[in-house]
Amino acid sequence: MFTETLHADGVLELVIDRPPVNAFSIGLLHDLAARIEAVRDQADVRAVVLRSAGRGFCGGGDVKEVEGLSGFEGILGQSSGSLRTSLAVLQCAVPVICGVHHYCVGVGVLIAGSADILVASRDTRFVLAEIDNGATAGAVQALKLMPEKRVRAAMMTAEPVLAQELHALGSIYRLVETHDAVAAEAMAVAARVAGKSAEAMRRLKTSLNNSTKAHELNTLYRAEMSYTYELNIMGEASAGRSAFIDGARGSYTAD
């Protein structure tokens, strides 16, 4: 569900491809996390580019999978995968440049918020859709993209935050006009990063994580998820997911 290419300059390019909308399954999240974690032992990798093929970057977690699994296996798998991937990106031994296009929903926002540098197409919509799916987590990653009051509004309304706004806030480093340009610009930024001293860059990544208290993500995300688990036990979360599956609620990935 993703391909990888290690380029001559040390840039590891990971391209997600899970049609039709790149909804992230539990397996994809854990496989992607494992690949990024493995960079720690690869001295020849100097930067990572993470992007998607197809219509958009991420259509959120695979709601149909979560709802289809027995008991609470779905939400437990999705939440553990979301946390593991967020941590893998945040704690990756080298900088992670995330290329985002068209839409970035749910877990996609968490991953983008955990990346070091963002490149996005101008039309990208970032949607924290948790409230519509009976979920409460994601603020800890979203707070790396926008101020507290903006996160509150985004999570309480599930209305899209546009790439232009995040670019104005400084959260998006490069804003490009077309979807095709995202890949090229992300690779260009990664090449610049990869051209620096590899030993210095790995230490800079650790230093920045220490200064920004990146270690708190695990504890804070798990605390946020406790309320999501309550909603699942109550049946509220299932009702929200079913409304999406049944078409009673619109899609965040529609053009």
Side-chain angles (χ1 to χ4, degrees), residues 120-126 161-168 172 175:
S121 61
R122 186 175 295 277
D123 69 340
T124 304
R125 308 183 304 271
F126 293 78
V161 179
L162 302 181
Q164 297 98 310
E165 181 178 350
L166 295 183
H167 183 250
I172 292 176
L175 199 64

Coordinates of all heavy atoms in Angstrom, one line a residue, residues 120-126 161-168 172 175:
A120 N 2.6 21.7 0.5 CA 1.2 21.4 0.2 C 0.7 22.1 -1.1 O 1.2 23.2 -1.4 CB 0.3 21.7 1.3
S121 N -0.3 21.6 -1.8 CA -0.9 22.3 -2.9 C -1.9 23.3 -2.3 O -2.5 23.1 -1.2 CB -1.7 21.3 -3.8 OG -2.7 20.6 -3.1
R122 N -2.1 24.4 -3.0 CA -2.9 25.5 -2.5 C -4.3 25.1 -2.2 O -5.0 25.7 -1.3 CB -2.9 26.6 -3.6 CG -3.6 27.9 -3.1 CD -3.4 29.0 -4.2 NE -2.0 29.4 -4.3 CZ -1.4 30.2 -3.5 NH1 -2.1 30.8 -2.5 NH2 -0.1 30.6 -3.7
D123 N -4.9 24.1 -2.9 CA -6.3 23.7 -2.7 C -6.5 22.7 -1.6 O -7.6 22.2 -1.3 CB -6.8 23.1 -4.0 CG -6.2 21.7 -4.3 OD1 -5.1 21.4 -3.8 OD2 -6.9 21.0 -5.1
T124 N -5.4 22.3 -0.8 CA -5.5 21.3 0.2 C -6.4 21.7 1.4 O -6.3 22.9 1.9 CB -4.2 20.9 0.8 OG1 -3.3 20.5 -0.3 CG2 -4.3 19.8 1.8
R125 N -7.3 20.8 1.8 CA -8.2 21.0 2.9 C -7.8 20.1 4.0 O -7.6 18.9 3.8 CB -9.6 20.7 2.5 CG -10.1 21.5 1.3 CD -11.6 21.2 1.0 NE -11.9 19.8 0.9 CZ -11.9 19.1 -0.2 NH1 -11.5 19.7 -1.4 NH2 -12.2 17.8 -0.3
F126 N -7.5 20.6 5.2 CA -7.1 19.9 6.4 C -8.4 19.8 7.2 O -9.0 20.8 7.7 CB -6.0 20.5 7.2 CG -4.7 20.6 6.4 CD1 -4.5 21.5 5.4 CD2 -3.7 19.6 6.7 CE1 -3.2 21.5 4.7 CE2 -2.5 19.7 6.1 CZ -2.3 20.6 5.1
V161 N -9.7 23.4 7.3 CA -8.7 24.5 7.4 C -7.9 24.5 6.1 O -7.4 23.5 5.8 CB -7.8 24.3 8.6 CG1 -6.8 25.4 8.8 CG2 -8.6 24.1 9.9
L162 N -7.9 25.6 5.5 CA -7.3 25.7 4.1 C -5.8 25.8 4.2 O -5.2 26.4 5.2 CB -7.9 26.8 3.3 CG -9.4 26.7 3.1 CD1 -9.8 27.9 2.3 CD2 -9.8 25.4 2.5
A163 N -5.1 25.3 3.2 CA -3.6 25.3 3.2 C -3.1 26.7 3.2 O -2.1 27.0 3.8 CB -3.1 24.6 2.0
Q164 N -3.8 27.6 2.6 CA -3.4 29.0 2.6 C -3.3 29.6 4.0 O -2.3 30.3 4.4 CB -4.3 29.9 1.8 CG -4.4 29.6 0.3 CD -5.6 28.7 0.0 OE1 -5.8 27.7 0.7 NE2 -6.3 29.1 -1.0
E165 N -4.2 29.2 4.9 CA -4.2 29.7 6.3 C -3.0 29.1 7.0 O -2.3 29.8 7.7 CB -5.5 29.3 7.0 CG -5.5 29.7 8.4 CD -6.8 29.4 9.1 OE1 -7.8 28.9 8.4 OE2 -6.9 29.5 10.3
L166 N -2.7 27.8 6.8 CA -1.6 27.2 7.5 C -0.3 27.7 7.0 O 0.7 27.8 7.7 CB -1.6 25.7 7.4 CG -2.8 25.0 8.0 CD1 -2.7 23.5 7.9 CD2 -2.9 25.4 9.5
H167 N -0.2 28.1 5.7 CA 1.0 28.7 5.1 C 1.2 30.1 5.8 O 2.4 30.4 6.1 CB 0.8 28.8 3.6 CG 2.0 29.4 2.9 ND1 2.1 30.6 2.4 CD2 3.3 28.8 2.7 CE1 3.3 30.8 1.8 NE2 4.0 29.8 2.1
A168 N 0.1 30.8 5.9 CA 0.3 32.1 6.6 C 0.7 32.0 8.0 O 1.4 32.9 8.5 CB -1.1 32.9 6.5
I172 N 3.0 25.5 7.0 CA 3.3 24.9 5.7 C 4.5 25.7 5.1 O 4.4 27.0 5.0 CB 2.2 25.0 4.7 CG1 1.1 24.0 5.2 CG2 2.6 24.6 3.3 CD1 -0.2 24.0 4.4
L175 N 4.1 26.3 -0.5 CA 2.8 26.2 -1.0 C 2.9 26.2 -2.6 O 3.5 27.1 -3.1 CB 1.9 27.3 -0.6 CG 0.4 27.2 -0.7 CD1 -0.1 26.0 0.2 CD2 -0.3 28.5 -0.3

